[in-house]
Amino acid sequence: MLQNGILQKRRCKPLDTLNQIRKRIDTYDRELIQLFEKRMEEVLQVLSFKKEHKMPIFQKEREEQVLKKAAENIQNPLFEAEAREFFEAIMRISRKLQAKLLFPYNIVLIGFMGAGKSAVGKELSLLLEMELIDIDAYIEREIQMTIADLFERYGEDYFRDREEEAVEKISKKKNCIISCGGGVVLREKNIANLKKSGKVIFLEAKAETIYSRIHDDTTRPLLKGHMTVEGIQKKLEQRESYYQRAADFVISTDHRTEKEIAQEIISLLCEGSFAVK
Ligand code: S3P
């Protein structure tokens, strides 16, 4: 008994110490969550202010500043990398929250091959922490075949049917960036589904720009044997009215980087209505 009693005491002591440490951690976590809430509320105030004054919503320079200040404020250099990671996560989360409030719908990118849909889609997805869905990549995954092989083996109509199914499914998602194949606008049903699901942005580019971007690419079946500025121009003209009809916004991508285009899309969409409660 006595021995047991002593044993129990010995076992209890380190446990007490652990419990005390955990209690202190719980207190810090309570403080952290309160601070986190306060910080997010301020972020929403900033968002409201920027919207009201038509300022760019997502500013990389400000994020750099926050990280720099965190590095300056840290006392124990052992945690420097972790502190950076912590603040990077906070900023990712606050970007995601802002995007969710600003864009409670899908952002749909349409336009000719080489107009920059994939590159701009990636940029938007990073900036807004929104999921990127590339319809061609989705079809390739579903069918386990590249688009080029699919065209070669089954022809364009078969591809368009698969594309229509994919659009129907993907349009049901929310808060995503959807990058479409260049010919998605050829079917009325696709346009209706995409417009219902979000805002449609037509990325426009001149035939010369498109040629300079994709002339080495052999994976575009519809340009096989027509990979010239004139060949592209001809197809562009056939498609122009379809793109215009489907678009909520038109953005020119000639001589511009994907970062600039993504920022312009955000600014254009932000002019729509939204309220921070
Ligand atoms: C097509 C464009 C391609 C792909 C398919 C058909 C088109 O997508 O969907 O080859 O009809 O313009 P990208 O525009 O992403 O190259």
Side-chain angles (χ1 to χ4, degrees):
M1 275 296 279
L2 184 68
Q3 221 181 357
N4 266 352
I6 293 168
L7 265 180
Q8 252 174 18
K9 238 186 181 172
R10 274 198 198 127
R11 249 187 240 133
C12 259
K13 219 177 167 206
L15 262 186
D16 279 352
T17 313
L18 179 62
N19 283 337
Q20 276 166 12
I21 300 173
R22 283 184 172 160
K23 241 187 198 152
R24 287 201 295 276
I25 289 183
D26 287 347
T27 313
Y28 304 146
D29 283 351
R30 249 195 322 273
E31 287 169 18
L32 266 178
I33 199 79
Q34 283 166 5
L35 285 175
F36 174 74
E37 272 185 67
K38 278 191 193 159
R39 193 185 195 285
M40 294 305 263
E41 276 157 15
E42 298 294 356
V43 166
L44 294 187
Q45 294 304 319
V46 171
L47 179 60
S48 257
F49 181 90
K50 283 182 174 173
K51 267 201 65 136
E52 195 183 324
H53 295 88
K54 299 204 181 315
M55 290 167 70
I57 304 285
F58 300 97
Q59 292 170 296
K60 195 89 199 127
E61 322 78 72
R62 173 61 188 158
E63 290 201 4
E64 299 293 345
Q65 252 178 33
V66 172
L67 291 175
K68 202 166 152 241
K69 277 186 216 279
E72 283 163 11
N73 287 334
I74 190 138
Q75 311 273 315
N76 186 343
L78 181 65
F79 307 133
E80 222 174 272
E82 287 71 19
R84 186 179 172 90
E85 213 175 296
F86 177 63
F87 275 91
E88 278 171 349
I90 289 185
M91 282 179 294
R92 251 199 326 275
I93 292 165
S94 68
R95 251 187 283 135
K96 195 169 180 168
L97 170 75
Q98 295 178 80
K100 200 168 76 181
L101 291 170
L102 285 167
F103 316 121
Y105 46 74
N106 294 321
I107 301 178
V108 181
L109 303 177
I110 60 166
F112 201 76
M113 294 171 258
K117 292 161 293 180
S118 303
V120 173
K122 269 189 208 135
E123 189 58 35
L124 279 173
S125 161
L126 277 176
L127 214 53
L128 303 174
E129 292 296 328
M130 283 165 72
E131 185 190 352
L132 170 66
I133 304 176
D134 182 298
I135 293 189
D136 280 351
Y138 175 91
I139 298 170
E140 287 184 336
R141 261 198 318 276
E142 286 279 297
I143 318 234
Q144 293 284 303
M145 197 184 286
T146 64
I147 301 288
D149 285 348
L150 201 154
F151 263 76
E152 180 105 20
R153 280 184 62 180
Y154 301 110
E156 182 171 349
D157 285 349
Y158 182 83
F159 167 75
R160 296 292 169 212
D161 289 343
R162 302 293 75 75
E163 183 173 51
E164 189 180 303
E165 286 165 7
V167 169
E168 191 164 4
K169 234 186 213 162
I170 293 166
S171 302
K172 296 202 169 82
K173 290 188 142 248
K174 288 207 166 61
N175 207 224
C176 294
I177 311 289
I178 304 177
S179 168
C180 301
V184 81
V185 289
L186 298 175
R187 289 201 179 172
E188 206 55 52
K189 191 171 169 199
N190 293 341
I191 301 183
N193 275 328
L194 292 168
K195 280 182 99 66
K196 240 189 331 194
S197 93
K199 299 276 187 263
V200 180
I201 319 283
F202 168 28
L203 299 183
E204 208 179 29
K206 290 199 171 77
E208 289 78 5
T209 310
I210 292 170
Y211 177 78
S212 73
R213 287 179 187 157
I214 64 170
H215 66 277
D216 280 339
D217 194 339
T218 52
T219 63
R220 322 252 178 181
L222 287 182
L223 287 176
K224 223 171 166 183
H226 309 280
M227 192 59 96
T228 56
V229 173
E230 295 71 29
I232 293 171
Q233 180 62 35
K234 202 164 154 215
K235 273 224 158 310
L236 262 181
E237 280 165 17
Q238 289 164 0
R239 296 252 176 106
E240 175 70 18
S241 64
Y242 290 89
Y243 291 130
Q244 291 289 355
R245 203 147 42 87
D248 293 308
F249 298 99
V250 183
I251 294 185
S252 162
T253 67
D254 296 303
H255 314 294
R256 303 176 70 198
T257 66
E258 48 264 36
K259 281 195 171 46
E260 288 166 353
I261 300 161
Q263 288 291 356
E264 186 181 343
I265 292 175
I266 293 170
S267 306
L268 279 172
L269 293 176
C270 278
E271 280 160 24
S273 63
F274 130 95
V276 178
K277 284 185 206 133

